[in-house]
Amino acid sequence: MRSQKDIPVQAIAVLHSVFQRKFGTPRQGALAPSSRAEVRLQPAWRGKGVFEGLENFSHVWLLTYFHENGPTRPLGKVHPPRLKGKKIGVLASRSPHRPNPIGLTLARLLQVERDRLIVGGVDLIEGTPVLDIKPYVPQADRPEEYKGGWTDEVESPALTCVWPRAIETQIEKLRLSGLLADPSEFKNLVEEMLRQDPRPLVYREREREDYAFLVDGIDVKFKYRDGEFEISGLVLPRAKRGRKRGSSNT
Amino acid sequence: MRSQKDIPVQAIAVLHSVFQRKFGTPRQGALAPSSRAEVRLQPAWRGKGVFEGLENFSHVWLLTYFHENGPTRPLGKVHPPRLKGKKIGVLASRSPHRPNPIGLTLARLLQVERDRLIVGGVDLIEGTPVLDIKPYVPQADRPEEYKGGWTDEVESPALTCVWPRAIETQIEKLRLSGLLADPSEFKNLVEEMLRQDPRPLVYREREREDYAFLVDGIDVKFKYRDGEFEISGLVLPRAKRGRKRGSSNT
C-alpha cells in the first residue's frame, strides 16, 4: 500500500539554539520569549532566494525533526507533565514522542538574511534539523473562535527565582570578561526556563536536590526550596572558557 | 553529515475528502468552511486511544504529504496565484512545491471517534497521506501581535456564482434520488471553491471557456462571464451513478 511506505524527507536547515540539552528546554517556545536561535540553510538551499518575501511576517512555523528522541517506539498514550500523571492520546498532545517525530513551533521572526533567519521564542535544542519553514498566515492559521481543550483547563506553574549576591557578582565578572554579552537577557531566559518547573515529576517531592542545565554555554546550577528556585552556581565548561561569546555557532 | 541524510516518515492516517482533484481545491482550508473530510487512522495506529483527550479542542493541525506534486524538483522561488506573476521565495509561501512537500492545515474538529476524525474547512484532496495530527494550542499557536506580510496586502477575489433554473431542477432530482444528501451544503461548497477564482492565470483572459471540477463525486461544469461564474452542468461519473451517497469512502 502506498500510504504505508516510508516517505523520505530531508533537513533543509539546522537550528542553532541557546538550549544545548533537552532538560530545561521549555515545552513551547511561547514560554521562553527571551530565547534566541539561528536557522541556517543547508548548502543545497543557499543562494536561491528561498526567504525572499518573508520580511514583513511577524512569525514563522518551524517544522522540525525531534532528533534526540532515542530509540523507544512511540506509544498510543503519553503523560504530559502538566497533567501530573494523567494519560492522554499522543495525538491530543504536543509530545515529541509521536508516531512521526515532527515538531511544530511558532517562532518570532527577528531577522531575515539571504540564507539564515534569527528567531525568538523557540523550544528547540542546538542542532535540531529543520524540515520546513512556513510563514504565519493569519487568514489560514488564526481561527476567530477556538478552544484549547485540556490545555485551557490546566494551570501553568509560575515559579520565581532567587539570584544570591555571590551569583550576581559572578555574572558581572562574566560580562566584563566578554563571556556574557547581555546579563539581563541571560537572567530573563533562566527565569523563563524555571518558571514552568523543569524538574521531572518523580523528583518533585525532594527539596534541596541539585539540578543544572546548560544555557548559552553556561552551566546553571539551581535548587528548589519553599516554592521557589535559587541559583546556586554558574560554571563555564572548558570549551567556552577559551573563547569569546558569539563564536560558538561556527 | 547526519542532517543531509533522508529521514523516513510514514502516513499514520489517510484523508478522505470531498475534493477529488487538485483543480478547484481551495488553497487554504479556511476559505472553504463547508468542506468536510474524514481522517482515518492506518491499521498500525488503531485501537490505541491516540485521539483520547482531543474532544474539547476546536481545531487540529494536519501535517500532510503533498502526494500529487509530480516529479518536478522544487525551485527556490514560486509564483503564488494571488501575486499575479510576482515571484517570491518558496519558504515565504505556502506553496505545495516546497523542499519537503509537507503541508500544514488548520482544520475544524467536528467529531472525534476512536480511530477517525471528521474535520471541516480543509484544502486537501482525496487520499492525502497524513503524517501527524496535533491539537491547536492557543497558548503556543496564537501570538498576541502578528503581521501576515504580503498576504495582508493582496486582495482576495470574491467572485459570485449563478445557478440557472435548469441546474436547480437537476439538483432537486439528485436529492430525490439519494445522490445528493444536502443540496445547500453542496452549493455553498461550490461557491466557496469559485469565490477565489480557481482558473489558472494564463486562462483568465478568455471568457466562455468551459471548466469543470469534481466535488463530492459530482462533475461541476462552469463558465466565466462578465465577472461571475455560471454553473453550466452537473455530471455524475459512472461510478457514482451505481450507488447511493455515503458509500464512496470505503
Side-chain angles (χ1 to χ4, degrees):
Chain A
M1 242 172 87
R2 181 192 55 203
S3 47
Q4 290 286 44
K5 278 195 319 196
D6 277 355
I7 296 168
V9 297
Q10 291 198 331
I12 60 163
V14 174
L15 187 129
H16 298 290
S17 169
V18 291
F19 302 121
Q20 271 105 336
R21 297 189 199 128
K22 281 193 285 182
F23 176 64
T25 300
R27 40 178 185 73
Q28 283 292 339
L31 302 170
S34 302
S35 64
R36 291 289 175 272
E38 179 195 19
V39 178
R40 197 182 294 183
L41 286 176
Q42 293 285 68
W45 291 101
R46 289 180 200 157
K48 295 180 191 287
V50 293
F51 292 142
E52 268 177 43
L54 208 51
E55 300 79 15
N56 295 319
F57 287 90
S58 58
H59 293 78
V60 286
W61 294 108
L62 301 177
L63 276 69
T64 59
Y65 178 64
F66 292 119
H67 64 306
E68 294 219 344
N69 262 0
T72 328
R73 258 185 70 81
L75 302 169
K77 298 203 183 175
V78 292
H79 302 82
R82 285 187 292 170
L83 286 176
K84 295 177 181 158
K86 202 189 149 193
K87 266 190 189 178
I88 58 167
V90 63
L91 300 182
S93 85
R94 296 287 275 259
S95 165
H97 303 282
R98 20 197 346 107
N100 285 305
I102 303 178
L104 179 66
T105 294
L106 187 66
R108 244 177 324 123
L109 192 53
L110 300 176
Q111 199 174 319
V112 179
E113 293 176 13
R114 201 186 59 164
D115 294 325
R116 64 169 204 155
L117 305 176
I118 306 292
V119 295
V122 289
D123 54 356
L124 300 161
I125 59 170
E126 171 60 27
T128 295
V130 177
L131 304 178
D132 201 359
I133 300 159
K134 297 179 191 281
Y136 177 73
V137 177
Q139 255 189 9
D141 300 333
R142 198 173 176 85
E144 280 178 34
E145 291 177 29
Y146 58 94
K147 278 194 303 181
W150 64 264
T151 69
D152 284 345
E153 288 144 33
V154 290
E155 256 182 74
S156 286
L159 297 173
T160 53
C161 171
V162 174
W163 299 83
R165 174 83 47 100
I167 300 290
E168 297 279 9
T169 310
Q170 202 186 345
I171 287 175
E172 182 55 17
K173 275 191 196 151
L174 290 174
R175 188 187 67 80
L176 289 172
S177 61
L179 290 165
L180 190 60
D182 188 336
S184 72
E185 191 183 282
F186 170 79
K187 286 176 66 182
N188 284 342
L189 183 57
V190 170
E191 292 186 6
E192 288 164 10
M193 291 171 79
L194 291 174
R195 187 168 297 143
Q196 299 286 318
D197 201 347
R199 296 172 302 153
L201 273 180
V202 289
Y203 291 109
R204 290 195 187 170
E205 298 305 305
R206 311 187 202 166
E207 294 221 338
R208 300 215 147 267
E209 190 90 14
D210 274 299
Y211 301 93
F213 48 49
L214 201 60
V215 187
D216 207 8
I218 297 174
D219 217 18
V220 179
K221 296 186 184 298
F222 57 95
K223 286 181 202 300
Y224 177 82
R225 194 183 47 166
D226 297 336
E228 62 185 11
F229 288 105
E230 184 180 301
I231 307 300
S232 50
L234 301 180
V235 183
L236 264 67
R238 200 171 297 174
K240 179 132 183 163
R241 270 177 241 167
R243 55 187 178 180
K244 302 285 183 211
R245 193 179 181 273
S247 60
S248 55
N249 281 338
T250 50
Chain B
M1 244 174 83
R2 179 193 55 199
S3 47
Q4 291 286 46
K5 278 196 317 198
D6 278 355
I7 296 167
V9 298
Q10 292 198 329
I12 61 163
V14 173
L15 187 129
H16 298 289
S17 170
V18 291
F19 302 121
Q20 271 104 338
R21 297 187 200 130
K22 280 193 286 182
F23 176 64
T25 300
R27 36 172 192 76
Q28 284 292 339
L31 302 170
S34 302
S35 64
R36 292 288 174 275
E38 178 195 20
V39 178
R40 197 181 295 183
L41 286 176
Q42 294 284 71
W45 291 100
R46 289 181 201 155
K48 295 181 191 287
V50 293
F51 292 141
E52 269 176 43
L54 207 51
E55 300 79 16
N56 295 319
F57 287 90
S58 58
H59 293 78
V60 285
W61 295 108
L62 300 178
L63 276 68
T64 59
Y65 179 63
F66 292 119
H67 64 306
E68 294 220 342
N69 262 0
T72 328
R73 259 185 70 79
L75 301 168
K77 299 204 183 172
V78 293
H79 302 82
R82 284 187 293 168
L83 286 177
K84 294 175 182 161
K86 204 192 147 191
K87 266 190 188 177
I88 56 167
V90 63
L91 302 183
S93 85
R94 296 287 276 258
S95 165
H97 302 283
R98 19 197 345 107
N100 286 306
I102 304 177
L104 179 66
T105 294
L106 186 68
R108 243 176 325 121
L109 192 53
L110 300 175
Q111 200 175 317
V112 179
E113 293 175 13
R114 199 187 58 164
D115 294 326
R116 66 169 204 154
L117 305 176
I118 306 294
V119 295
V122 290
D123 54 356
L124 300 161
I125 60 173
E126 172 60 26
T128 295
V130 177
L131 305 179
D132 201 359
I133 300 158
K134 296 178 191 283
Y136 178 73
V137 175
Q139 254 188 8
D141 300 334
R142 198 174 176 85
E144 280 179 33
E145 292 178 29
Y146 59 94
K147 279 194 304 180
W150 64 264
T151 68
D152 283 346
E153 289 144 34
V154 291
E155 256 181 72
S156 286
L159 297 173
T160 53
C161 171
V162 174
W163 299 83
R165 173 86 45 100
I167 301 290
E168 298 278 10
T169 309
Q170 202 185 344
I171 287 175
E172 182 55 17
K173 275 192 196 149
L174 290 174
R175 189 187 66 79
L176 289 172
S177 61
L179 290 165
L180 190 60
D182 188 336
S184 71
E185 190 182 283
F186 171 78
K187 286 177 66 183
N188 284 343
L189 183 57
V190 170
E191 293 187 4
E192 289 164 9
M193 292 171 79
L194 291 174
R195 188 168 297 141
Q196 300 285 318
D197 200 348
R199 297 173 302 152
L201 272 181
V202 289
Y203 291 108
R204 292 195 186 170
E205 297 306 304
R206 312 185 201 166
E207 294 220 338
R208 298 215 148 268
E209 190 89 16
D210 274 299
Y211 301 93
F213 48 49
L214 201 60
V215 187
D216 208 6
I218 296 174
D219 217 17
V220 180
K221 297 186 184 298
F222 58 95
K223 285 181 202 304
Y224 177 82
R225 193 183 48 167
D226 298 336
E228 62 185 12
F229 288 105
E230 185 182 300
I231 307 300
S232 51
L234 299 180
V235 183
L236 264 67
R238 199 171 298 174
K240 180 135 183 163
R241 270 176 242 166
R243 54 187 178 181
K244 302 284 184 211
R245 191 178 182 275
S247 60
S248 55
N249 280 338
T250 49

